[in-house]
């Protein structure tokens, strides 16, 4: 069973088709990068897969459960670090983490243990008592990702996780993500192409709501006859792409 399978997944906002008949299959344990220019439809796709935005048509199954008919089952298996960092501003770092753990049904003492572990892994331990709103933007981002992982989801969606992170934090997050490869399914969006190339098993490139290319970074370079992944990406996102 694939981790994610979409069939004809479509989202229409009035006249604009943000996601257009997406057919995609992502394997369990895969780190899948969903790339595309601004407005390509990445976040809209993720929001539908997380059951926060109903599709206009089509469906998707996550570990066999439909986002339309079984959203409760889907939500138990997934978590998300959204593009617009979502932390409760008036709760402390520790409280934010414990809250999410508790929402997912983890008991109080385990939630505390997990929050401690997670704060250490994300370099937030010495800020544990600080309210989220006084953290720097990058630290809030790290907290948001930590909140995505603390529940040990089977599938995690990371929408531009490294945006605004300093070089050290970015590399640390890469290490965490690499360490999770094969264990959980990760769907990553990023505008840092070298990040997608370095980390992902496969890459899907969306363009104007459609999936325009799919494969490993190496395959996409070969298909386009380009030596750098950035050149391959540019070729695949031209208005009249070669493929
Ligand atoms: N709630 C909404 N109402 C109307 N249009 C929307 C809404 N959300 C997204 N869109 C439109 O859908 C299209 C896809 O947006 P989306 O946020 O999915 O792009 P994206 O690939 O995540 O881009 P970015 O790289 O800038 O984050 C855009 O044209 C956007 O304006
Ligand atoms: Mg987006």
């Amino acid at each position: 069973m694939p981790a994610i399978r979409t069939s004809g997944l479509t989202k229409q906002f009035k006249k604009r088709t943000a996601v257009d008949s997406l057919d995609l299959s992502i394997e369990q344990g895969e780190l899948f990068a969903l790339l595309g220019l601004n407005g390509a439809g990445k976040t809209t796709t993720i929001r539908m897969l997380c059951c926060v935005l109903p599709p206009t048509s089509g469906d998707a199954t996550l570990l066999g459960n439909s986002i339309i008919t079984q959203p409760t089952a889907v939500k138990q298996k997934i978590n998300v670090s959204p593009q617009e960092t979502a932390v409760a501003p008036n709760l402390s770092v520790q409280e934010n983490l414990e809250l999410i753990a508790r929402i997912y049904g983890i008991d109080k003492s385990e939630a505390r243990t997990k929050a401690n572990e997670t704060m250490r892994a994300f370099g937030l331990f010495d800020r544990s008592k600080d309210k989220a709103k006084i953290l720097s933007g990058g630290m809030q981002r790290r907290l948001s990702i930590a909140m995505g992982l603390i529940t040990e989801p089977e599938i995690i969606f990371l929408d531009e996780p490294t945006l605004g992170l300093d070089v050290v934090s970015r590399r640390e997050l890469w290490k965490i993500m690499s360490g999770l490869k094969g264990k959980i399914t990760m769907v990553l969006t990023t505008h840092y192409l070298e990040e997608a190339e370095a980390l992902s098993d496969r890459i899907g490139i969306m363009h104007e709501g459609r999936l325009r290319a799919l494969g490993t970074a190496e395959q996409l370079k070969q298909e386009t006859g380009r030596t750098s992944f950035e050149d391959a990406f540019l070729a695949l996102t031209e208005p009249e792409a070669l493929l």
Side-chain angles (χ1 to χ4, degrees):
M1 178 177 43
I4 300 171
R5 175 174 286 159
T6 72
S7 52
L9 192 68
T10 298
K11 184 68 194 184
Q12 192 103 27
F13 294 111
K14 300 211 173 96
K15 279 192 188 138
R16 173 172 290 124
T17 308
V19 177
D20 194 356
S21 308
L22 189 65
D23 292 311
L24 179 64
S25 186
I26 298 175
E27 295 308 312
Q28 290 185 40
E30 197 172 6
L31 199 171
F32 188 88
L34 195 56
L35 305 184
L37 302 177
N38 293 138
K42 306 176 296 292
T43 297
T44 305
T45 301
I46 288 178
R47 294 182 69 211
M48 288 192 282
L49 295 177
C50 294
C51 311
V52 294
L53 189 70
T56 310
S57 58
D59 195 357
T61 53
L62 278 73
L63 296 161
N65 295 122
S66 156
I67 57 168
I68 294 170
T69 58
Q70 299 163 301
T72 311
V74 170
K75 285 186 210 163
Q76 279 162 0
K77 296 176 182 170
I78 68 168
N79 206 337
V80 60
S81 173
Q83 184 168 356
E84 64 304 337
T85 303
V87 299
N90 285 313
L91 294 185
S92 71
V93 169
Q94 184 178 352
E95 286 164 346
N96 264 289
L97 288 164
E98 288 179 9
L99 174 70
I100 295 295
R102 300 281 283 141
I103 288 172
Y104 275 72
I106 297 169
D107 76 39
K108 208 171 173 178
S109 71
E110 201 188 337
R112 175 137 306 181
T113 309
K114 276 186 179 300
N116 283 333
E117 284 169 12
T118 309
M119 287 187 292
R120 283 189 207 282
F122 283 84
L124 291 165
F125 198 73
D126 60 340
R127 307 300 296 259
S128 65
K129 301 284 183 255
D130 285 350
K131 283 190 178 173
K133 67 180 177 194
I134 69 160
L135 298 179
S136 75
M139 286 176 195
Q140 290 191 24
R141 194 98 203 113
R142 255 152 51 199
L143 173 58
S144 166
I145 298 160
M147 286 161 68
L149 285 168
I150 194 174
T151 62
E152 297 181 13
E154 290 175 70
I155 302 174
I156 187 153
F157 296 93
L158 298 164
D159 199 352
E160 300 195 29
T162 54
L163 184 70
L165 293 194
D166 65 44
V167 176
V168 174
S169 304
R170 201 145 83 90
R171 289 293 169 139
E172 277 169 5
L173 182 62
W174 285 20
K175 245 192 259 162
I176 290 172
M177 288 164 69
S178 298
L180 290 170
K181 274 178 86 158
K183 295 181 188 145
I184 69 174
T185 308
M186 287 174 274
V187 179
L188 162 77
T189 81
T190 180
H191 290 292
Y192 300 107
L193 299 178
E194 78 282 8
E195 182 166 291
E197 194 179 7
L199 290 175
S200 55
D201 297 306
R202 281 188 312 153
I203 294 168
I205 297 182
M206 288 186 78
H207 189 74
E208 294 177 353
R210 291 178 164 269
L211 188 69
R212 217 181 221 187
L214 179 67
T216 62
E218 209 47 52
Q219 284 168 344
L220 298 179
K221 285 193 272 189
Q222 275 173 16
E223 277 174 27
T224 52
R226 303 296 201 275
T227 47
S228 82
F229 181 64
E230 184 164 303
D231 286 339
F233 177 84
L234 284 169
L236 289 163
T237 50
E238 275 170 13
E240 305 293 327
L242 8 132
L243 294 175

